[in-house]
């Protein structure tokens, strides 16, 4: 009897090793092969937007029902609070409402081939950014050479290449846009690389997207432009008065004639604060997102900008960049919507490893709807931090690992490459609705490394509907076999295992049975575990709010 049981068990393991490797081979040995795993989207509509959206009473609403599928398409929304309307042709929900509360809005998209629905919970209250922001930022591609045309090129490409249909929303201008103070608010005005910033914001909004901007609490940003505090009461900066700047108002010094990363002695707080002036100006331009950046971030200046932004009748996502001190994590979670947990990422495996796998797990308790730990921007596609761009130096497997981990971490997803030059492979990494759904899950739980076995790591993220997202990672230099039994994650009963990148169910196993697969060097497998009976969880330590579903 016993022998039969052992043979049966061995057969079961073999079956799952085979089924996971045999039927849908992982990209093993594919170090340089750019295998697209994301299936092409169907021609029928698929509503891909976030399932929850936060809006403050009285603020202008802009929520796009991001949907893939053939155009023309029509949209409808059932259950919107009074004051909000959907544009039937574009799917953009706009207007203003003063009615606090939670509204289950059924969004329907229809084309000649069919229709699709998704219920979106509109929460009208104090909290915004209820899912991690998704968008683009200029720094990892253009660095300080960012310009209005370059921003517009990525904006247009976000629309034309269809990223907009997968929830990509923000177009964020990083350091390099600033000129000097002026205008009716004596606020930072753009430099000559941005001849019409209001026009730029309008064009971004016209496409259904949102605009972000950058500043610092220091007198000078990392790239040598003026910040939101000033040594002079009238908003003039001594180094500009003295002529120590170039034609785009960047600080030029003897020790740093290029003005890049202007020397640390210029990085101090000015006695006079212009945060109200700047916030007013941004609201007037239609800015939707602020990256506020210095190091080390101090409580008072972080709070001051929070207050200035909240005075505006506009929902502006407040993203703090640092490195933010862990000792003040509760303050960052309360005062800001995103907080940078790391130094600057670069397009190398070492950088991805140290930022992604070695520095995020202790932020888990502070991550959640409205306040997201930020492990920095994405490093796929054409990057360069300046005029000359190059394809990311991450291998294809490392890129799958990167996007899978960021989705599991519920990280803000900010594309760092020039979207205008984006190829199909990179596009497939960013337009997989099931991967994005993991990042955007309304529960907002950050994954936790439940098992670290040498270079093999297993990260688990609980999702709102009671399923689990599981990332199996091989951080080592050789291919290896990884696996688990659902009981390792506290599941009892039967489980469907879905390969998220391929969007295919690949196994159905009992909680005691093992699922195994081979992973190439630096590769991963992103899985979704759907317990048949989602009440069948047992507790396991280390996971916030477990179990936290309504059954
Ligand atoms: C810091 C930030 C980067 C970028 C630059 C701009 O280094 O960490 O993300 O914003 O400043 O100067």
């Amino acid at each position: 009897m016993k022998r039969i049981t052992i043979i049966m068990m061995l057969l079961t393991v073999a079956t799952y090793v085979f089924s996971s490797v045999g039927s849908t081979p992982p990209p093993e040995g594919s170090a340089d092969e750019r295998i697209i795993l994301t299936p092409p989207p169907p021609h029928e509509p698929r509503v891909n937007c976030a399932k929850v959206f936060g809006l403050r009473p009285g603020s202008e609403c802009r929520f796009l029902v991001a949907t893939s599928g053939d155009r023309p398409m029509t949209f409808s929304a059932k259950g919107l609070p009074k004051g909000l309307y959907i544009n039937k042709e574009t799917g953009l929900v706009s207007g203003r409402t003063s009615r606090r509360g939670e509204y289950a809005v059924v969004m329907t998209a229809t084309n000649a081939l069919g229709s699709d629905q998704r219920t979106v919970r509109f929460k009208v209250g104090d909290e915004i950014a209820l899912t991690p922001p998704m968008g683009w930022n200029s720094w990892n591609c253009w660095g300080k050479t960012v310009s209005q045309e370059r921003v517009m090129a990525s904006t247009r490409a976000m629309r034309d290449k269809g990223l907009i249909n997968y929830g990509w929303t923000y177009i964020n201008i990083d350091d390099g846009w600033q000129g000097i103070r002026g205008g009716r608010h004596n606020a930072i005005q753009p430099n000559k690389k941005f001849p019409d910033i209001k026009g730029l914001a309008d064009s971004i909004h016209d496409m259904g997207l949102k605009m972000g901007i950058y500043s610092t609490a220091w007198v000078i940003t990392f790239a040598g432009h003026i910040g939101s505090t000033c040594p002079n009461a009238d908003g003039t900066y001594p180094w500009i008065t003295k002529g120590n700047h170039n034609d785009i108002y960047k600080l030029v010094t003897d020790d740093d004639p290029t003005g890049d990363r202007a020397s640390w002695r210029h990085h101090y707080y000015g006695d006079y604060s212009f945060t109200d002036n700047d916030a007013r100006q941004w609201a007037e331009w239609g800015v939707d997102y602020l990256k506020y950046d210095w190091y080390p971030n101090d409580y008072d200046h972080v709070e001051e900008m929070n207050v200035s932004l909240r005075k505006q009748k506009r929902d502006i996502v407040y993203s703090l960049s640092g490195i933010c001190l862990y000792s003040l994590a509760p303050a960052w979670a309360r005062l800001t919507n995103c907080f940078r947990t790391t130094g600057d990422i670069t397009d190398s495996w070492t950088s991805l490893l140290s930022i992604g796998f070695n520095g995020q797990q202790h932020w888990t308790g502070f991550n959640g709807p409205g306040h997201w730990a930020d492990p920095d921007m994405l490093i796929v596609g054409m990057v360069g931090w300046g005029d000359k761009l190059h394809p990311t130096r991450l291998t294809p497997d490392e890129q799958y690992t990167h996007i899978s981990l960021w989705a599991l971490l519920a990280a803000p997803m900010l594309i760092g490459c020039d979207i205008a030059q984006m190829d199909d492979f990179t596009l497939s990494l960013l337009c997989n609705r099931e991967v994005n759904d993991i990042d955007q899950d309304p529960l907002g739980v950050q994954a936790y490394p439940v098992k670290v076995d040498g270079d093999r790591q297993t990260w688990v993220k609980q999702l709102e509907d009671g399923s689990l997202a599981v990332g199996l990672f091989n951080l080592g230099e050789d291919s290896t076999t990884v696996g688990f039994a659902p009981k390792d994650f506290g599941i009892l009963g039967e489980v469907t295992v879905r390969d998220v990148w391929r969007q295919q169910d690949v196994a159905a196993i009992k909680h005691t049975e093992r699922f195994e697969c081979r992973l190439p060097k630096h590769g991963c497998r992103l899985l979704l575990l759907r317990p048949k009976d989602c009440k069948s969880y047992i507790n396991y330590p280390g996971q916030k709010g477990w179990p936290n579903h309504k059954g």
Side-chain angles (χ1 to χ4, degrees):
M1 227 11 212
K2 260 191 190 157
R3 200 174 295 160
I4 291 175
T5 317
I6 291 168
I7 292 170
M8 289 294 283
M9 276 169 63
L10 287 173
L11 276 174
T12 312
V13 170
T15 309
Y16 292 119
V17 170
F18 179 74
S19 72
S20 63
V21 176
S23 59
T24 52
E28 188 176 4
S30 60
D32 297 317
E33 241 181 293
R34 292 148 57 83
I35 298 173
I36 292 181
L37 301 179
T38 303
H43 296 283
E44 293 84 9
R46 288 283 179 275
V47 181
N48 301 315
C49 61
K51 296 173 190 148
V52 62
F53 177 65
L55 171 70
R56 295 200 179 108
S59 292
E60 184 192 356
C61 174
R62 300 190 71 79
F63 178 84
L64 185 71
V65 183
T67 307
S68 54
D70 290 359
R71 266 51 183 182
M73 202 176 273
T74 56
F75 296 86
S76 69
K78 221 175 125 214
L80 280 171
K82 191 162 177 269
L84 302 188
Y85 308 91
I86 190 162
N87 179 312
K88 291 190 170 47
E89 272 102 59
T90 62
L92 184 72
V93 177
S94 55
R96 289 172 203 268
T97 184
S98 54
R99 301 206 169 169
R100 284 177 176 265
E102 187 171 326
Y103 304 83
V105 185
V106 182
M107 307 293 185
T108 308
T110 307
N111 69 9
L113 301 166
S115 70
D116 191 32
Q117 284 192 338
R118 187 168 260 196
T119 300
V120 181
R121 296 202 304 275
F122 269 57
K123 291 191 172 181
V124 185
D126 294 324
E127 296 296 325
I128 59 168
L130 297 183
T131 61
M134 290 175 71
W136 174 84
N137 172 292
S138 57
W139 189 253
N140 289 358
C141 44
W142 302 120
K144 63 187 165 44
T145 71
V146 63
S147 66
Q148 187 162 334
E149 300 94 74
R150 284 177 167 172
V151 172
M152 263 318 285
S154 275
T155 310
R156 271 188 232 104
M158 189 175 268
R159 178 197 58 192
D160 298 344
K161 291 183 186 259
L163 286 144
I164 191 172
N165 300 329
Y166 290 84
W168 298 95
T169 303
Y170 291 95
I171 296 289
N172 294 348
I173 309 167
D174 207 281
D175 210 350
W177 68 273
Q178 310 90 321
I180 49 175
R181 288 194 172 278
R184 69 190 185 109
H185 302 299
N186 199 15
I188 307 173
Q189 298 301 302
N191 61 42
K192 65 172 192 181
K193 292 187 297 161
F194 287 81
D196 179 12
I197 202 151
K198 175 75 176 103
L200 176 63
D202 290 346
S203 314
I204 290 172
H205 290 143
D206 286 349
M207 291 186 214
L209 300 168
K210 299 185 179 184
M211 188 171 99
I213 215 144
Y214 174 97
S215 192
T216 181
W218 282 332
V219 295
I220 287 171
T221 67
F222 281 109
H225 295 277
I226 68 168
S228 291
T229 65
C230 184
N232 298 334
D234 63 355
T236 56
Y237 290 75
W239 51 277
I240 292 178
T241 318
K242 281 191 212 141
N244 294 337
H245 62 277
N246 65 13
D247 57 352
I248 54 165
Y249 291 103
K250 197 146 50 97
L251 175 70
V252 178
T253 59
D254 292 342
D255 52 344
D256 187 1
T258 63
D260 296 354
R261 245 166 230 275
S263 124
W264 282 93
R265 76 192 151 84
H266 300 292
H267 294 317
Y268 60 93
Y269 304 117
D271 289 343
Y272 300 92
S273 167
F274 286 79
T275 56
D276 275 347
N277 309 53
D278 291 341
R280 246 181 255 134
Q281 178 68 83
W282 295 330
E284 210 167 275
W285 286 337
V287 165
D288 305 289
Y289 190 112
L290 169 69
K291 175 172 172 181
Y292 205 37
D293 185 22
W294 72 100
Y295 175 80
N297 317 93
D298 64 302
Y299 183 94
D300 289 349
H301 285 96
V302 174
E303 188 187 38
E304 180 182 46
M305 183 55 91
N306 166 298
V307 171
S308 295
L309 292 176
R310 288 302 298 266
K311 283 183 197 159
Q312 311 311 313
K313 275 232 155 300
R314 189 165 185 88
D315 292 352
I316 301 179
V317 171
Y318 183 14
S319 170
L320 186 61
S321 182
I323 311 166
C324 297
L325 299 179
Y326 183 68
S327 53
L328 287 172
W332 312 148
R334 189 164 54 78
L335 294 171
T336 74
N337 300 118
C338 308
F339 37 96
R340 261 283 286 283
T341 54
T342 73
D344 288 10
I345 201 165
T346 58
D347 58 324
S348 72
W349 174 246
T350 335
S351 176
L352 180 59
L353 198 59
S354 75
I355 284 185
F357 289 94
N358 296 329
Q360 298 311 310
Q361 59 268 37
H362 54 287
W363 293 89
T364 305
F366 303 103
N367 215 55
H371 46 95
W372 307 102
D374 174 7
D376 207 3
M377 300 169 292
L378 303 179
I379 36 163
V380 297
M382 295 294 284
V383 291
W385 294 268
D387 261 326
K388 244 178 125 233
L389 304 190
H390 61 265
T392 178
R393 289 173 297 150
L394 295 182
T395 66
D397 289 325
E398 291 166 353
Q399 295 179 57
Y400 278 111
T401 292
H402 176 29
I403 304 297
S404 302
L405 182 63
W406 262 235
L408 286 162
L409 290 172
M413 291 273 203
L414 291 171
I415 298 169
C417 63
D418 177 17
I419 305 181
Q421 297 183 54
M422 193 181 280
D423 62 14
D424 288 348
F425 176 74
T426 311
L427 212 51
S428 78
L429 292 172
L430 303 170
C431 296
N432 187 310
R433 72 190 302 249
E434 296 194 16
V435 176
N436 294 356
D437 274 354
I438 291 176
D439 180 66
Q440 297 289 299
D441 186 72
L443 197 57
V445 168
Q446 179 184 313
Y448 192 82
V450 297
K451 190 169 176 200
V452 175
D453 168 18
D455 289 327
R456 295 181 293 187
Q457 299 200 357
T458 306
W459 290 62
V460 176
K461 170 178 158 80
Q462 192 186 15
L463 304 178
E464 191 184 49
D465 68 355
S467 41
L468 297 183
V470 175
L472 303 173
F473 295 98
N474 172 16
L475 310 183
E477 299 304 307
D478 300 307
S479 65
T480 188
T481 299
V482 292
F484 62 86
K487 72 178 170 58
D488 301 345
F489 312 135
I491 296 174
L492 296 176
E494 237 177 78
V495 173
T496 306
V497 182
R498 186 167 176 83
D499 182 315
V500 180
W501 280 105
R502 296 178 178 84
Q503 301 182 359
Q504 278 171 11
D505 289 349
V506 288
I509 51 175
K510 294 206 182 88
H511 64 278
T512 47
E513 291 170 338
R514 281 186 69 73
F515 178 92
E516 295 197 337
C517 55
R518 293 286 296 171
L519 293 181
K521 163 187 170 179
H522 304 174
C524 77
R525 199 83 187 263
L526 183 61
L527 301 168
L528 188 74
L529 266 52
R530 275 202 238 101
K532 208 165 166 196
D533 167 7
C534 55
K535 289 195 191 88
S536 354
Y537 285 101
I538 50 174
N539 283 321
Y540 82 92
Q543 183 72 20
K544 187 179 73 157
W546 183 285
N548 192 9
H549 57 83
K550 306 215 165 70

